[in-house]
Amino acid sequence: MLHYTATLCLATARLMPRSPWRFAALLANNSSTVATSNSATSVKEDDSAKLSEVQSNILQKENQKETRINETNFHPSKKISFNANDVFSKQFEAAKSINDLLDLATIPALSTNDALTLISHITKQINSGKAEIVDVEADERFIHLRKIVKTNDNIKFGTKKLSNDLSQYSKLSTPAMISVMASLRDQGKRNTPLLRMLSYNIVKYNMKLNLKQCASLLYSMAVLNFPDKVLLEKIMNDLLICIPNTDMCINSVTSKSILTSLGFLFYKNVDVLDAFCDAVFNESVYYKTHDCLSILQTFAALQYKPKKINLFLEKFIEYAKKGKTADWLDVVWCLAVLDVVQPQYIKSVLEPTFVDKLFGFSKINVSKILKLMNINAVAQFVLKNYEGPILNTNSKMFTNLSLIRAKEKQMYISTLSDTLSKVLPSEAYFKTDIDTNMGFLLDAEYRIDTDHKLIKVENWDEQSENIKRIGIMIHDYHDYCRGQNDLKGSTYLYTQLLKAKGYHLITISYKNFSAQDKIEKRTYYLRECMGNVYNMNI
């Protein structure tokens, strides 16, 4: 199913490619940076990340009744004296609620594509809990939109066509809908309107999914990068019911697939993970070495450390040592993320012979180099009394790397820089985009003395005991797991490394800091965060 091997890609949940991808590189890189060997490359943002969210609440039923339009107003023969497409585009962009979207059904001569766009966005809002299903489906405007869709046998999606309209999928049984989604997965077709309708109908009509159905859906959602929130929650609830009643000896492949897909989706549900681990760590269940590596990488991606992880590692480590060099590097990195790595494991990957063998591959993945730098930092700053080898990060193999921000993350850094310029006396007192030589960038840094007096950058002295280093990390949407709002494994490791290196760390969530906020609001929040650091008696 989903095989874990390294690829040169950006480790961002929302920047995953639409065809089957590799997971190891996703775990290694900063979720908001990409590394290149010689040149900067830009990364395409996923189309789904660009979709705007409808923010306002639904109007009360009384208002809905007032705005309902009689079906006679939609007579297709009605003449118009304006460009319907222009009207739709303008009103669609201005829509602030589901009721506004439904009002667009009143536009004369509404095209099938426009009707599908409305149904797709309305369904998305229902899935996110913005409206009740019954309320919307009983609305005459929504009924009219569905009638428009039914009038055409062929529906266009961009430049592609489907032989039948979307309404046919609402009539399919749940197994058939899951098969349709699997077919889209196998063909690599990310038809968002169809995927939304399938998810909507599976949630609405199905009573309970079994283990294999859950596995198929999760795998499809992972490959197609379609993490529908409501469908994921339903799958989690159904898994909690069926896992205790499932023989994992017979379904070991299915359970491994589910765990692997959760790692791809960065979806964390501790109750489900605990339930699986009780079965996975059963001595009667056998997993191949590459299956164990996939499971371990999921644990690392989600920063999830099972209670019985030592039992799992005892059965796995000895076999993993005999495997491929790159795979063993992945294993040690995952153990470092989970805070269970042993000094002898660190030493084994920092040995010159191991490094030479790793770099001996003609096409070594950049993510492997970043992992190696992460592990080297763990040896230097986290492990106590480590006596093994240390990498020379000033060598050509490391200095040729360039860490580049993702476009969205760079926007946050620019906003942080502007805000710091207002909080601190001038730009001479702080730096941004600092290469830590640990395989990732520090968003910003400023320094103070023991009296909390700011130090200019030109006077920074790392060796001085009287200077305190304050690091700032902004965690955007891509730095968090879905399901439970915990940091992803790689992001968690970076914060631990910075603290171990001696930084007093300020962490800022995207939920509290936005370029759309007024500068006064951002400066107030940042001053509050900085004040909390000062109160820690540093």
Side-chain angles (χ1 to χ4, degrees), residues 141-295:
R141 295 166 294 176
F142 188 79
I143 293 172
H144 176 68
L145 290 174
R146 297 184 67 172
K147 286 183 177 180
I148 293 176
V149 171
K150 289 181 180 180
T151 58
N152 292 304
D153 294 328
N154 296 312
I155 298 177
K156 295 181 180 180
F157 293 95
T159 59
K160 300 180 181 179
K161 293 185 179 180
L162 293 177
S163 59
N164 294 300
D165 60 77
L166 291 184
S167 60
Q168 65 173 312
Y169 296 104
S170 62
K171 302 174 184 178
L172 295 177
S173 65
T174 296
M177 287 189 283
I178 294 173
S179 295
V180 171
M181 192 175 289
S183 177
L184 292 173
R185 173 196 73 207
D186 296 338
Q187 298 174 44
K189 295 181 179 179
R190 193 177 184 275
N191 189 319
T192 304
L194 177 54
L195 288 171
R196 284 177 181 156
M197 182 162 284
L198 290 171
S199 300
Y200 167 74
N201 287 325
I202 291 172
V203 172
K204 177 181 177 181
Y205 296 115
N206 181 262
M207 294 297 293
K208 188 181 73 171
L209 300 168
N210 60 40
L211 192 72
K212 291 185 177 180
Q213 289 174 330
C214 290
S216 180
L217 285 171
L218 287 171
Y219 182 44
S220 298
M221 296 168 80
V223 171
L224 296 170
N225 188 23
F226 183 73
D228 183 86
K229 177 182 177 182
V230 178
L231 181 56
L232 280 169
E233 290 176 352
K234 173 178 175 50
I235 292 172
M236 295 304 107
N237 291 332
D238 290 348
L239 282 175
L240 288 174
I241 296 174
C242 63
I243 290 174
N245 302 317
T246 302
D247 187 341
M248 288 301 172
C249 292
I250 299 176
N251 294 279
S252 60
V253 175
T254 302
S255 61
K256 190 272 294 187
S257 173
I258 290 175
L259 286 173
T260 304
S261 296
L262 290 175
F264 270 87
L265 291 164
F266 289 100
Y267 192 89
K268 186 174 184 178
N269 183 303
V270 172
D271 292 334
V272 170
L273 291 171
D274 285 343
F276 264 115
C277 289
D278 288 341
V280 169
F281 298 154
N282 190 309
E283 294 183 1
S284 61
V285 180
Y286 172 75
Y287 290 95
K288 297 179 181 179
T289 302
H290 72 270
D291 292 336
C292 291
L293 176 57
S294 297
I295 294 172

Side-chain angles (χ1 to χ4, degrees), residues 109 127 171 282 436 470 483:
N127 285 345
K171 302 174 184 178
N282 190 309
T436 62
I470 314 296

